[in-house]
Amino acid sequence: MIVDPMRATIVIPTLDARELLAKALAGLAAQTAPAEVVVVDNASTDGTADMVRRRFPETRLVELPENLGFGRAVNAGAETADGDAVILMNNDTIPEPRFVEELLRPLAEDPGVGMVAGVLTQLRAPERIDSAGIVLDPTLGSSDYLGDLPVSVLDDPLPPPVGPCGGAAAYRLSAWREAGGFDPGFFAYWEDVDLALRLRRLGWRCALAPRARAEHHHGATLGAASPRQRRLEAYGRSYVLAKHGLAASHPERWGGVVVRDYPALAVHLVVRREPGPIAERARG
């Protein structure tokens, strides 16, 4: 049953993931609530655009001339939205039939909610949660809300996370535009953390949609622990710390940043022989 007439635009950025994207789009075709779907192709070379045109002609296709990264691709898709909400979904997720309906429910029921966190489940253990949004520690360190817990915990009332994970999220379109969408300074990773912080400062709240679920093929685009992922992670973490002024506003927490972050950076340099994460940390 469709519980709300809210109009939503679903934005899926993609890069060289044709078959995964096809599964995601097939899942969206079976939704209980209608929504416009926009695929933003980051200059794929595997025939993604042709597949979308041939198999999903009702999908709007935005073809970028080069790989602009996750956040800027999402922004390009969100610019085309003209309804009430913008929904973000990774190309490596397969949504359950009520995914869209349940993501929109908190926005329809509470005008103070500006963002909604859906639930990603694990591919190899679908009875366990991959992420139900973002939580932060005192150093602004990000982790997955309810990560690796059984989905049965969602049967009980739970507090909401700080913000949604960009792989399964809904934003009130007016809130998205008030905040300016994703900061284009991020290529990939941490842009959802930054946006959640900015939306909360603007007075918007986050809600959890425990029944808005999608199966997640984690890390299918960049690799869950690839050298490039580690560089992007280091840059995004540093950029968030600098942008949100943790050192200036809470200097007493900086020791926690060192304890949390620098052992991993040392492992990248000494064990993996990868100076890239440290260089990207400085650049961020």
mmCIF file of all heavy atoms in Angstrom, residues 156-192:
data_model
loop_
_atom_site.group_PDB
_atom_site.id
_atom_site.type_symbol
_atom_site.label_atom_id
_atom_site.label_comp_id
_atom_site.label_asym_id
_atom_site.label_seq_id
_atom_site.Cartn_x
_atom_site.Cartn_y
_atom_site.Cartn_z
ATOM 1 N N ASP A 156 12.760 -3.481 17.572
ATOM 2 C CA ASP A 156 12.550 -2.657 18.765
ATOM 3 C C ASP A 156 12.759 -1.186 18.439
ATOM 4 O O ASP A 156 13.497 -0.845 17.510
ATOM 5 C CB ASP A 156 13.516 -3.082 19.862
ATOM 6 C CG ASP A 156 13.314 -4.527 20.297
ATOM 7 O OD1 ASP A 156 12.144 -4.955 20.359
ATOM 8 O OD2 ASP A 156 14.321 -5.213 20.555
ATOM 9 N N PRO A 157 12.128 -0.277 19.205
ATOM 10 C CA PRO A 157 12.370 1.151 18.988
ATOM 11 C C PRO A 157 13.844 1.494 19.197
ATOM 12 O O PRO A 157 14.469 1.034 20.157
ATOM 13 C CB PRO A 157 11.482 1.821 20.037
ATOM 14 C CG PRO A 157 10.442 0.804 20.379
ATOM 15 C CD PRO A 157 11.127 -0.531 20.256
ATOM 16 N N LEU A 158 14.396 2.286 18.303
ATOM 17 C CA LEU A 158 15.803 2.640 18.365
ATOM 18 C C LEU A 158 15.972 4.137 18.132
ATOM 19 O O LEU A 158 15.206 4.741 17.385
ATOM 20 C CB LEU A 158 16.598 1.880 17.287
ATOM 21 C CG LEU A 158 16.706 0.370 17.432
ATOM 22 C CD1 LEU A 158 17.218 -0.247 16.130
ATOM 23 C CD2 LEU A 158 17.639 0.023 18.587
ATOM 24 N N PRO A 159 16.986 4.746 18.742
ATOM 25 C CA PRO A 159 17.260 6.151 18.434
ATOM 26 C C PRO A 159 17.801 6.257 17.014
ATOM 27 O O PRO A 159 18.371 5.303 16.479
ATOM 28 C CB PRO A 159 18.330 6.527 19.464
ATOM 29 C CG PRO A 159 19.000 5.233 19.804
ATOM 30 C CD PRO A 159 17.922 4.187 19.731
ATOM 31 N N PRO A 160 17.638 7.401 16.384
ATOM 32 C CA PRO A 160 18.139 7.558 15.020
ATOM 33 C C PRO A 160 19.646 7.772 15.013
ATOM 34 O O PRO A 160 20.243 8.151 16.026
ATOM 35 C CB PRO A 160 17.411 8.807 14.522
ATOM 36 C CG PRO A 160 17.190 9.618 15.761
ATOM 37 C CD PRO A 160 16.921 8.602 16.857
ATOM 38 N N PRO A 161 20.290 7.528 13.873
ATOM 39 C CA PRO A 161 21.709 7.843 13.752
ATOM 40 C C PRO A 161 21.913 9.340 13.562
ATOM 41 O O PRO A 161 20.951 10.113 13.485
ATOM 42 C CB PRO A 161 22.125 7.069 12.500
ATOM 43 C CG PRO A 161 20.891 7.058 11.662
ATOM 44 C CD PRO A 161 19.744 6.948 12.641
ATOM 45 N N VAL A 162 23.173 9.760 13.489
ATOM 46 C CA VAL A 162 23.482 11.168 13.210
ATOM 47 C C VAL A 162 22.987 11.555 11.826
ATOM 48 O O VAL A 162 22.459 12.647 11.607
ATOM 49 C CB VAL A 162 24.996 11.417 13.345
ATOM 50 C CG1 VAL A 162 25.369 12.804 12.831
ATOM 51 C CG2 VAL A 162 25.426 11.253 14.790
ATOM 52 N N GLY A 163 23.159 10.650 10.880
ATOM 53 C CA GLY A 163 22.736 10.907 9.511
ATOM 54 C C GLY A 163 22.700 9.620 8.731
ATOM 55 O O GLY A 163 23.133 8.565 9.210
ATOM 56 N N PRO A 164 22.195 9.656 7.510
ATOM 57 C CA PRO A 164 22.138 8.446 6.695
ATOM 58 C C PRO A 164 23.447 8.170 5.986
ATOM 59 O O PRO A 164 24.236 9.077 5.715
ATOM 60 C CB PRO A 164 21.034 8.774 5.683
ATOM 61 C CG PRO A 164 21.092 10.259 5.546
ATOM 62 C CD PRO A 164 21.521 10.803 6.877
ATOM 63 N N CYS A 165 23.672 6.917 5.676
ATOM 64 C CA CYS A 165 24.746 6.518 4.777
ATOM 65 C C CYS A 165 24.318 6.863 3.355
ATOM 66 O O CYS A 165 23.154 6.664 2.979
ATOM 67 C CB CYS A 165 24.990 5.031 4.933
ATOM 68 S SG CYS A 165 25.895 4.263 3.581
ATOM 69 N N GLY A 166 25.257 7.373 2.556
ATOM 70 C CA GLY A 166 24.910 7.790 1.199
ATOM 71 C C GLY A 166 24.450 6.671 0.302
ATOM 72 O O GLY A 166 23.915 6.938 -0.784
ATOM 73 N N GLY A 167 24.607 5.422 0.720
ATOM 74 C CA GLY A 167 24.176 4.298 -0.098
ATOM 75 C C GLY A 167 22.711 3.956 0.039
ATOM 76 O O GLY A 167 22.169 3.217 -0.785
ATOM 77 N N ALA A 168 22.026 4.480 1.059
ATOM 78 C CA ALA A 168 20.598 4.218 1.278
ATOM 79 C C ALA A 168 20.046 5.364 2.101
ATOM 80 O O ALA A 168 19.955 5.282 3.328
ATOM 81 C CB ALA A 168 20.383 2.880 1.974
ATOM 82 N N ALA A 169 19.697 6.448 1.437
ATOM 83 C CA ALA A 169 19.339 7.678 2.139
ATOM 84 C C ALA A 169 18.206 8.391 1.428
ATOM 85 O O ALA A 169 18.042 8.283 0.208
ATOM 86 C CB ALA A 169 20.548 8.611 2.217
ATOM 87 N N ALA A 170 17.426 9.132 2.206
ATOM 88 C CA ALA A 170 16.444 10.045 1.641
ATOM 89 C C ALA A 170 16.636 11.410 2.286
ATOM 90 O O ALA A 170 16.903 11.511 3.492
ATOM 91 C CB ALA A 170 15.023 9.544 1.886
ATOM 92 N N TYR A 171 16.521 12.443 1.479
ATOM 93 C CA TYR A 171 16.631 13.822 1.955
ATOM 94 C C TYR A 171 15.417 14.604 1.480
ATOM 95 O O TYR A 171 14.994 14.467 0.320
ATOM 96 C CB TYR A 171 17.895 14.501 1.410
ATOM 97 C CG TYR A 171 19.188 13.860 1.844
ATOM 98 C CD1 TYR A 171 19.773 12.856 1.088
ATOM 99 C CD2 TYR A 171 19.830 14.253 3.011
ATOM 100 C CE1 TYR A 171 20.964 12.260 1.475
ATOM 101 C CE2 TYR A 171 21.026 13.664 3.407
ATOM 102 C CZ TYR A 171 21.584 12.667 2.637
ATOM 103 O OH TYR A 171 22.763 12.075 3.028
ATOM 104 N N ARG A 172 14.854 15.394 2.387
ATOM 105 C CA ARG A 172 13.825 16.325 1.955
ATOM 106 C C ARG A 172 14.479 17.273 0.941
ATOM 107 O O ARG A 172 15.549 17.844 1.217
ATOM 108 C CB ARG A 172 13.276 17.088 3.156
ATOM 109 C CG ARG A 172 11.991 17.862 2.860
ATOM 110 C CD ARG A 172 11.480 18.542 4.126
ATOM 111 N NE ARG A 172 11.185 17.596 5.196
ATOM 112 C CZ ARG A 172 10.052 16.924 5.314
ATOM 113 N NH1 ARG A 172 9.103 17.083 4.403
ATOM 114 N NH2 ARG A 172 9.866 16.092 6.329
ATOM 115 N N LEU A 173 13.873 17.458 -0.208
ATOM 116 C CA LEU A 173 14.538 18.212 -1.268
ATOM 117 C C LEU A 173 14.823 19.644 -0.837
ATOM 118 O O LEU A 173 15.883 20.201 -1.163
ATOM 119 C CB LEU A 173 13.699 18.194 -2.547
ATOM 120 C CG LEU A 173 14.363 18.777 -3.791
ATOM 121 C CD1 LEU A 173 15.664 18.066 -4.114
ATOM 122 C CD2 LEU A 173 13.415 18.723 -4.984
ATOM 123 N N SER A 174 13.917 20.249 -0.071
ATOM 124 C CA SER A 174 14.162 21.615 0.395
ATOM 125 C C SER A 174 15.360 21.670 1.331
ATOM 126 O O SER A 174 16.148 22.621 1.299
ATOM 127 C CB SER A 174 12.916 22.159 1.095
ATOM 128 O OG SER A 174 12.552 21.345 2.205
ATOM 129 N N ALA A 175 15.536 20.642 2.180
ATOM 130 C CA ALA A 175 16.693 20.589 3.082
ATOM 131 C C ALA A 175 17.975 20.377 2.288
ATOM 132 O O ALA A 175 19.011 21.014 2.553
ATOM 133 C CB ALA A 175 16.504 19.472 4.105
ATOM 134 N N TRP A 176 17.924 19.460 1.333
ATOM 135 C CA TRP A 176 19.085 19.199 0.469
ATOM 136 C C TRP A 176 19.554 20.489 -0.192
ATOM 137 O O TRP A 176 20.747 20.808 -0.196
ATOM 138 C CB TRP A 176 18.694 18.150 -0.571
ATOM 139 C CG TRP A 176 19.712 17.906 -1.641
ATOM 140 C CD1 TRP A 176 19.846 18.594 -2.814
ATOM 141 C CD2 TRP A 176 20.746 16.913 -1.648
ATOM 142 N NE1 TRP A 176 20.892 18.097 -3.547
ATOM 143 C CE2 TRP A 176 21.461 17.065 -2.863
ATOM 144 C CE3 TRP A 176 21.125 15.906 -0.758
ATOM 145 C CZ2 TRP A 176 22.534 16.245 -3.201
ATOM 146 C CZ3 TRP A 176 22.190 15.090 -1.095
ATOM 147 C CH2 TRP A 176 22.888 15.265 -2.295
ATOM 148 N N ARG A 177 18.616 21.240 -0.736
ATOM 149 C CA ARG A 177 18.991 22.459 -1.451
ATOM 150 C C ARG A 177 19.388 23.579 -0.502
ATOM 151 O O ARG A 177 20.254 24.393 -0.824
ATOM 152 C CB ARG A 177 17.851 22.879 -2.380
ATOM 153 C CG ARG A 177 17.737 21.896 -3.546
ATOM 154 C CD ARG A 177 16.713 22.253 -4.562
ATOM 155 N NE ARG A 177 16.875 21.373 -5.739
ATOM 156 C CZ ARG A 177 15.940 21.121 -6.626
ATOM 157 N NH1 ARG A 177 14.733 21.686 -6.495
ATOM 158 N NH2 ARG A 177 16.173 20.321 -7.654
ATOM 159 N N GLU A 178 18.791 23.624 0.668
ATOM 160 C CA GLU A 178 19.219 24.615 1.660
ATOM 161 C C GLU A 178 20.674 24.393 2.049
ATOM 162 O O GLU A 178 21.448 25.355 2.211
ATOM 163 C CB GLU A 178 18.326 24.531 2.897
ATOM 164 C CG GLU A 178 18.672 25.556 3.970
ATOM 165 C CD GLU A 178 17.848 25.418 5.232
ATOM 166 O OE1 GLU A 178 17.068 24.441 5.336
ATOM 167 O OE2 GLU A 178 17.983 26.283 6.126
ATOM 168 N N ALA A 179 21.069 23.134 2.184
ATOM 169 C CA ALA A 179 22.443 22.811 2.564
ATOM 170 C C ALA A 179 23.410 22.872 1.380
ATOM 171 O O ALA A 179 24.626 22.889 1.574
ATOM 172 C CB ALA A 179 22.501 21.426 3.196
ATOM 173 N N GLY A 180 22.881 22.854 0.164
ATOM 174 C CA GLY A 180 23.738 22.889 -1.016
ATOM 175 C C GLY A 180 24.192 21.528 -1.499
ATOM 176 O O GLY A 180 25.130 21.442 -2.300
ATOM 177 N N GLY A 181 23.540 20.456 -1.037
ATOM 178 C CA GLY A 181 23.920 19.121 -1.477
ATOM 179 C C GLY A 181 25.288 18.716 -0.969
ATOM 180 O O GLY A 181 25.785 19.223 0.041
ATOM 181 N N PHE A 182 25.909 17.784 -1.662
ATOM 182 C CA PHE A 182 27.231 17.315 -1.266
ATOM 183 C C PHE A 182 28.293 18.358 -1.614
ATOM 184 O O PHE A 182 28.224 19.014 -2.662
ATOM 185 C CB PHE A 182 27.577 16.000 -1.958
ATOM 186 C CG PHE A 182 26.893 14.797 -1.380
ATOM 187 C CD1 PHE A 182 26.474 13.761 -2.206
ATOM 188 C CD2 PHE A 182 26.687 14.668 -0.019
ATOM 189 C CE1 PHE A 182 25.859 12.636 -1.686
ATOM 190 C CE2 PHE A 182 26.073 13.555 0.513
ATOM 191 C CZ PHE A 182 25.656 12.533 -0.322
ATOM 192 N N ASP A 183 29.270 18.478 -0.732
ATOM 193 C CA ASP A 183 30.413 19.352 -0.981
ATOM 194 C C ASP A 183 31.244 18.742 -2.116
ATOM 195 O O ASP A 183 31.740 17.614 -1.984
ATOM 196 C CB ASP A 183 31.251 19.456 0.298
ATOM 197 C CG ASP A 183 32.446 20.386 0.172
ATOM 198 O OD1 ASP A 183 32.897 20.664 -0.957
ATOM 199 O OD2 ASP A 183 32.951 20.825 1.223
ATOM 200 N N PRO A 184 31.449 19.470 -3.230
ATOM 201 C CA PRO A 184 32.214 18.908 -4.343
ATOM 202 C C PRO A 184 33.689 18.718 -4.033
ATOM 203 O O PRO A 184 34.420 18.152 -4.844
ATOM 204 C CB PRO A 184 32.007 19.930 -5.466
ATOM 205 C CG PRO A 184 31.674 21.205 -4.769
ATOM 206 C CD PRO A 184 30.904 20.805 -3.545
ATOM 207 N N GLY A 185 34.141 19.173 -2.860
ATOM 208 C CA GLY A 185 35.523 18.946 -2.469
ATOM 209 C C GLY A 185 35.839 17.498 -2.159
ATOM 210 O O GLY A 185 37.004 17.101 -2.121
ATOM 211 N N PHE A 186 34.791 16.668 -1.928
ATOM 212 C CA PHE A 186 34.970 15.235 -1.719
ATOM 213 C C PHE A 186 34.825 14.519 -3.060
ATOM 214 O O PHE A 186 33.897 14.807 -3.817
ATOM 215 C CB PHE A 186 33.915 14.674 -0.762
ATOM 216 C CG PHE A 186 33.955 15.245 0.627
ATOM 217 C CD1 PHE A 186 33.215 16.373 0.952
ATOM 218 C CD2 PHE A 186 34.705 14.636 1.617
ATOM 219 C CE1 PHE A 186 33.231 16.892 2.242
ATOM 220 C CE2 PHE A 186 34.729 15.145 2.908
ATOM 221 C CZ PHE A 186 33.994 16.278 3.215
ATOM 222 N N PHE A 187 35.709 13.571 -3.323
ATOM 223 C CA PHE A 187 35.543 12.729 -4.510
ATOM 224 C C PHE A 187 34.665 11.527 -4.170
ATOM 225 O O PHE A 187 33.718 11.213 -4.882
ATOM 226 C CB PHE A 187 36.915 12.258 -5.019
ATOM 227 C CG PHE A 187 36.849 11.493 -6.309
ATOM 228 C CD1 PHE A 187 36.850 12.160 -7.520
ATOM 229 C CD2 PHE A 187 36.776 10.104 -6.309
ATOM 230 C CE1 PHE A 187 36.776 11.453 -8.722
ATOM 231 C CE2 PHE A 187 36.702 9.387 -7.495
ATOM 232 C CZ PHE A 187 36.702 10.068 -8.709
ATOM 233 N N ALA A 188 34.985 10.858 -3.094
ATOM 234 C CA ALA A 188 34.187 9.744 -2.581
ATOM 235 C C ALA A 188 34.590 9.508 -1.135
ATOM 236 O O ALA A 188 35.746 9.696 -0.776
ATOM 237 C CB ALA A 188 34.414 8.474 -3.403
ATOM 238 N N TYR A 189 33.624 9.106 -0.321
ATOM 239 C CA TYR A 189 33.762 8.863 1.123
ATOM 240 C C TYR A 189 33.735 10.174 1.917
ATOM 241 O O TYR A 189 34.352 11.158 1.548
ATOM 242 C CB TYR A 189 35.034 8.072 1.466
ATOM 243 C CG TYR A 189 35.101 6.724 0.814
ATOM 244 C CD1 TYR A 189 35.981 6.480 -0.236
ATOM 245 C CD2 TYR A 189 34.273 5.683 1.235
ATOM 246 C CE1 TYR A 189 36.031 5.231 -0.852
ATOM 247 C CE2 TYR A 189 34.324 4.436 0.627
ATOM 248 C CZ TYR A 189 35.201 4.217 -0.416
ATOM 249 O OH TYR A 189 35.246 2.990 -1.028
ATOM 250 N N TRP A 190 32.985 10.146 3.006
ATOM 251 C CA TRP A 190 32.856 11.207 3.993
ATOM 252 C C TRP A 190 31.937 12.352 3.558
ATOM 253 O O TRP A 190 31.601 13.206 4.384
ATOM 254 C CB TRP A 190 34.224 11.776 4.423
ATOM 255 C CG TRP A 190 35.015 10.823 5.258
ATOM 256 C CD1 TRP A 190 35.884 9.853 4.813
ATOM 257 C CD2 TRP A 190 35.017 10.712 6.684
ATOM 258 N NE1 TRP A 190 36.421 9.147 5.865
ATOM 259 C CE2 TRP A 190 35.911 9.663 7.029
ATOM 260 C CE3 TRP A 190 34.361 11.405 7.707
ATOM 261 C CZ2 TRP A 190 36.150 9.272 8.340
ATOM 262 C CZ3 TRP A 190 34.608 11.029 9.017
ATOM 263 C CH2 TRP A 190 35.490 9.979 9.322
ATOM 264 N N GLU A 191 31.496 12.393 2.310
ATOM 265 C CA GLU A 191 30.588 13.477 1.923
ATOM 266 C C GLU A 191 29.252 13.366 2.648
ATOM 267 O O GLU A 191 28.618 14.387 2.961
ATOM 268 C CB GLU A 191 30.370 13.521 0.415
ATOM 269 C CG GLU A 191 29.756 12.286 -0.206
ATOM 270 C CD GLU A 191 30.758 11.181 -0.438
ATOM 271 O OE1 GLU A 191 31.715 11.376 -1.196
ATOM 272 O OE2 GLU A 191 30.571 10.097 0.169
ATOM 273 N N ASP A 192 28.815 12.133 2.977
ATOM 274 C CA ASP A 192 27.562 11.980 3.703
ATOM 275 C C ASP A 192 27.702 12.428 5.154
ATOM 276 O O ASP A 192 26.761 12.974 5.744
ATOM 277 C CB ASP A 192 27.042 10.548 3.623
ATOM 278 C CG ASP A 192 28.101 9.483 3.871
ATOM 279 O OD1 ASP A 192 29.236 9.831 4.261
ATOM 280 O OD2 ASP A 192 27.793 8.291 3.673
#
